[in-house]
Amino acid sequence: MKQVKDDAMKAALKAIEAVLPENAVKEALRDERFLKRLDGGGRVVLAAIGKAAWRMAKAAADTLGSRLDGGVVVTKYGHSMGEIQGLEIYEAGHPFPDENTLAGTAKALEKVKGLSEKDTVLFLVSGGGSALFEKPKDGVSLDDLISVTDQLLACGADIVEINMIRKRLSAVKGGRFAQFVAPSQVFAIVLSDVLGDRLDSIASGPAHPDSSTVREAMRIVDKYSLSMRPGLLDALKEETPKKLDNVTTVIAGSVTALCSAAEKAVRELGYVPLLVTTTLSCEARDAGAFLASMAREIRSSGNPLKPPCAVLLGGETVVHLKGKGMGGRNQELALAAAAGIRGLADTAVISVGSDGTDGPTDAAGGLVDGETVSAISGLGLDLEKILADNDSYHGLDACGCLVRTGPTGTNVNDLTILLCR
């Protein structure tokens, strides 16, 4: 079994390496529209937000040198890799904003305030920006934002639904950051962690017109029975900007590129790949069970592929929290898959977050094979109880099946790979 697990790990790591942001940012900065702004002679001020903010900002600083007139980087704790000349770096909370979030955002707003129409805000955006870039609306507190986000995460709302609510409680989301920096122009380079690359949802769209409506936001409140005081409901009913004239956006990376890199990686390892979807969006446990059923079909009939083969899924699942355990969506997916591939030889499933973090844990995800369930049982643990308590972290950790990569510096959704040798 060791070889197939080693292959799964190699493929996942190679795929993530292929979508690190440095090359993507440098390529985006060659865009003629940005070069024209540079030729105009105005100031270029940087604002970078998200889990990949440091690496994106470092690439921009290395490329632009003295043409960059300072800026601010706000990223997750542990994701900064040192100083970047001319830039102020803040580490802050994720998935919940904290006081450092507000401080970093305030400094970024200070840096871009009062710019002219000749000036450019180089806005580097990556997943996690919703929590890491925040100025609450008047009348909305940090505790309000944390409470609402916590409720949405716990009830299994997807990222589009979560951000639809968060942007309406914010003074910088939903296009309002672009309004704030006007008349200067925004050149946004975006790493997408949202299915379908919805720019109004990535980091809650600080520099993109919002396509959602008040009615849709209120429908989410009703759908999940969110507990919100009257003042927050009033904030939700204020419409967001629907048109912005000062923004140019380049999507520099996405889950599609991650899956393409994974296809190449497994092929180089001798497996025939089948990419099923780049828009996976369902319960993590259901995705794991589905993938396990494909493994059993492959082993029994050779459909849809004969071994050696790889089945690839990209996207972002959800977990409805019912227990009090610890884990993340990739860990839960992997553990659910382990139940379905029990006893299958030379079969492994790996599921990881491309950012290197999965839920509120130090793991990127999980890597299981046909022997994982037996290993868990041998430790006196009950797989069904572990899943019922949403305690995938401790279940996988006990049998050595957690994947720990540390922060990767990118964030383009999740990758799941089934390998059959």
Side-chain angles (χ1 to χ4, degrees), residues 222-274:
D222 293 338
K223 177 180 178 180
Y224 295 113
S225 300
L226 300 181
S227 175
M228 302 181 72
R229 58 182 179 80
L232 296 188
L233 292 174
D234 291 340
L236 288 182
K237 293 174 183 177
E238 181 181 339
E239 199 50 274
T240 46
K242 304 305 180 188
K243 184 179 181 181
L244 296 169
D245 298 321
N246 64 326
V247 181
T248 301
T249 302
V250 175
I251 296 178
S254 68
V255 69
T256 301
L258 177 69
C259 289
S260 294
E263 284 185 283
K264 180 181 179 183
V266 297
R267 192 177 288 111
E268 290 174 348
L269 290 167
Y271 298 84
V272 177
L274 172 64

Side-chain angles (χ1 to χ4, degrees), residues 48-64:
I49 64 171
K51 297 178 186 176
W54 190 93
R55 294 185 79 142
M56 295 180 78
K58 183 66 165 63
D62 289 346
T63 301
L64 297 176

